[in-house]
Amino acid sequence: MKQVCDFNICTGCATCVDRCPQQCITMQVKNGLGHLYPVIDQDSCIDCGACQKVCPALHEIKKEYPKKAYAGWDKNKEEYESSTSGGAASAFSCHIIREGGVVYGCAMLPGLKVKHVRIDREDGIYKLKGSKYVQSDMRECYQSLKEDLKEGKKVLFIGTPCQVAGVKSFLRKDEIQNLYAVDLICHGVPSLAFLQKHIKKVTGGKMPDEVYFRKGDDYLFLLLRGKEELYKNSLFDERYKDIYYNAFFDGFSYRESCYQCKYAASKRVSDVTIGDFWGLKGDLPLSHPNGCSVVLPLTDKGAELINAIASEFYLFERPVEEAILGNDQLRNPKSKDWRIKLFHYLYPFLGISLSYRICQMDKIGRRFARILLKGE
């Protein structure tokens, strides 16, 4: 077999890597933005077709429209302030672990590695906190998750919709009884190589211990090494300064499949969808200065999961349409306009900074003109 699926629709979920009985598939960089794609060793491949059978890009996964919509956040002040949005993912994680289950989610590991890890203790949940605007590595996750389910454990999986689709494709229908799938409203994913290259540039090669993309409601790109602040940029205070963050925010650095994502729709592939509650209309009974989660139950299991945290989580029912209208990715994927196409063409030759500035030259110019006129 020459290729698992067309690279234009490959989400990089790596289900094919974990399923291949010959272990002849590796994830390799195959585009200028550093995204990984499955490459088959032709000498070892036996044409069994196992990789294509589990590829979610080649098969449809059942989707459900939200049963309800909630705005909410964690009642525990410490948990709330240390989470992005309202802390729904952490609340779900705590519940599952207290039930004797395990959680799989995205963690930033030493050496600037971003991958899905297994957590089986409450004191490990902190590893999964915080937004990570980069694609995580799912390799070796599927088989471990499958073994936990075989042992009868409750398993909470938190990831992007395409990663949830990967998990569901990898498992048989009789294996998902104890699986609770939570998808994050995803706008698209830059590659880890893209992030690593940018960090080395802005820090002069210094390696940060911690990387932050959010602090409450602030889109803050912060790099720390111990107590030393290596780099800091607030997107809204200093728009167009940090090129990595702006390229992500404007949709320039996503993988090709993100621009035609079949999961960016009101019908979802998981049990619960969570994210920021953009477009919230009217006041809630309580203030939420550090952000507010949108929580969308899609299945009975999703509703069960939400009910389980109701005593520890402020939940205010809202119209489903309000949640959908407030978030583009609940309606359609990011469009690949002429600016993005030009950036993808220029980047391999000119690098991220110059390519981005050329594509956004008019917008950057207008912003600085306004700043000068206001005397800021």
Side-chain angles (χ1 to χ4, degrees):
M1 186 172 299
K2 292 184 178 180
Q3 198 168 327
V4 179
C5 69
D6 190 295
F7 282 175
N8 286 331
I9 61 172
C10 173
T11 63
C13 69
T15 53
C16 53
V17 176
D18 276 19
R19 176 49 61 90
C20 178
Q22 295 295 100
Q23 297 182 326
C24 67
I25 303 176
T26 55
M27 299 297 286
Q28 299 179 23
V29 174
K30 285 294 176 181
N31 74 359
L33 295 174
H35 291 105
L36 297 173
Y37 294 86
V39 175
I40 301 172
D41 179 354
Q42 299 300 318
D43 294 332
S44 301
C45 179
I46 58 174
D47 288 318
C48 66
C51 57
Q52 292 189 328
K53 289 177 183 176
V54 297
C55 175
L58 298 178
H59 306 283
E60 286 299 319
I61 308 297
K62 186 179 179 182
K63 302 173 188 174
E64 301 283 355
Y65 189 80
K67 295 176 177 291
K68 293 182 178 181
Y70 297 97
W73 59 93
D74 203 305
K75 292 181 179 180
N76 183 300
K77 184 178 179 183
E78 184 178 344
E79 286 293 325
Y80 175 48
E81 292 180 348
S82 64
S83 301
T84 49
S85 301
S90 293
F92 291 145
S93 299
C94 287
H95 166 69
I96 291 294
I97 289 177
R98 288 169 189 166
E99 292 280 301
V102 297
V103 180
Y104 288 82
C106 176
M108 181 80 72
L109 304 178
L112 279 180
K113 296 179 181 178
V114 180
K115 66 180 297 181
H116 264 65
V117 298
R118 180 183 186 272
I119 304 294
D120 59 5
R121 293 167 53 95
E122 279 192 67
D123 59 9
I125 292 174
Y126 77 93
K127 297 177 183 177
L128 309 182
K129 287 190 174 185
S131 299
K132 303 166 188 78
Y133 298 142
V134 62
Q135 185 163 31
S136 65
D137 187 349
M138 287 283 291
R139 284 171 289 185
E140 301 175 4
C141 173
Y142 298 103
Q143 201 60 49
S144 173
L145 187 152
K146 187 183 181 80
E147 290 301 317
D148 282 325
L149 289 170
K150 279 185 177 180
E151 292 175 11
K153 292 185 174 72
K154 287 186 177 181
V155 173
L156 174 66
F157 178 85
I158 305 170
T160 61
C162 59
Q163 290 172 334
V164 170
V167 169
K168 289 191 171 183
S169 288
F170 193 85
L171 300 170
R172 298 193 309 267
K173 287 184 179 180
D174 62 335
E175 294 175 327
I176 63 173
Q177 182 178 353
N178 287 328
L179 173 69
Y180 294 82
V182 174
D183 80 87
L184 309 166
I185 299 175
C186 173
H187 294 263
V189 288
S191 73
L192 180 58
F194 194 69
L195 174 64
Q196 291 172 336
K197 185 176 181 179
H198 178 66
I199 287 177
K200 288 178 182 177
K201 181 178 180 180
V202 298
T203 64
K206 293 181 180 179
M207 186 71 73
D209 299 322
E210 298 176 86
V211 180
Y212 294 93
F213 293 96
R214 292 278 297 275
K215 281 287 187 179
D217 271 348
D218 190 11
Y219 284 76
L220 181 71
F221 190 31
L222 177 64
L223 308 177
L224 300 176
R225 185 165 68 177
K227 294 183 179 180
E228 180 186 5
E229 185 180 289
L230 299 179
Y231 183 79
K232 180 180 179 181
N233 173 242
S234 174
L235 181 68
F236 294 140
D237 290 343
E238 304 173 276
R239 183 74 158 109
Y240 300 119
K241 179 183 175 183
D242 183 82
I243 302 301
Y244 177 87
Y245 218 148
N246 280 278
F248 165 78
F249 193 78
D250 293 329
F252 282 40
S253 53
Y254 304 161
R255 67 184 299 132
E256 193 61 39
S257 60
C258 297
Y259 303 109
Q260 48 188 316
C261 177
K262 58 184 179 181
Y263 310 112
S266 55
K267 287 189 175 181
R268 315 294 290 174
V269 295
S270 62
D271 296 304
V272 181
T273 290
I274 60 174
D276 291 291
F277 204 131
W278 303 123
L280 190 61
K281 299 184 184 301
D283 294 329
L284 295 177
L286 299 170
S287 63
H288 44 93
N290 287 345
C292 178
S293 292
V294 61
V295 184
L296 303 174
L298 303 154
T299 65
D300 290 340
K301 278 201 293 185
E304 171 194 329
L305 193 59
I306 293 168
N307 289 335
I309 67 165
S311 63
E312 303 172 8
F313 208 82
Y314 293 114
L315 288 168
F316 303 96
E317 188 168 348
R318 308 295 299 181
V320 172
E321 294 75 15
E322 181 182 54
I324 292 172
L325 289 173
N327 199 307
D328 290 346
Q329 300 303 119
L330 292 177
R331 301 192 306 276
N332 44 254
K334 174 70 176 179
S335 174
K336 191 176 184 183
D337 61 21
W338 69 267
R339 296 176 192 270
I340 296 172
K341 291 176 182 178
L342 180 60
F343 177 82
H344 282 222
Y345 174 78
L346 293 176
Y347 172 74
F349 306 103
L350 303 179
I352 178 175
S353 182
L354 184 56
S355 299
Y356 178 82
R357 293 183 189 282
I358 288 173
C359 295
Q360 297 285 69
M361 190 180 301
D362 56 331
K363 293 184 178 182
I364 295 172
R366 284 197 296 270
R367 178 173 175 80
F368 280 100
R370 286 196 299 268
I371 292 173
L372 289 173
L373 289 172
K374 290 179 181 179
E376 298 179 6

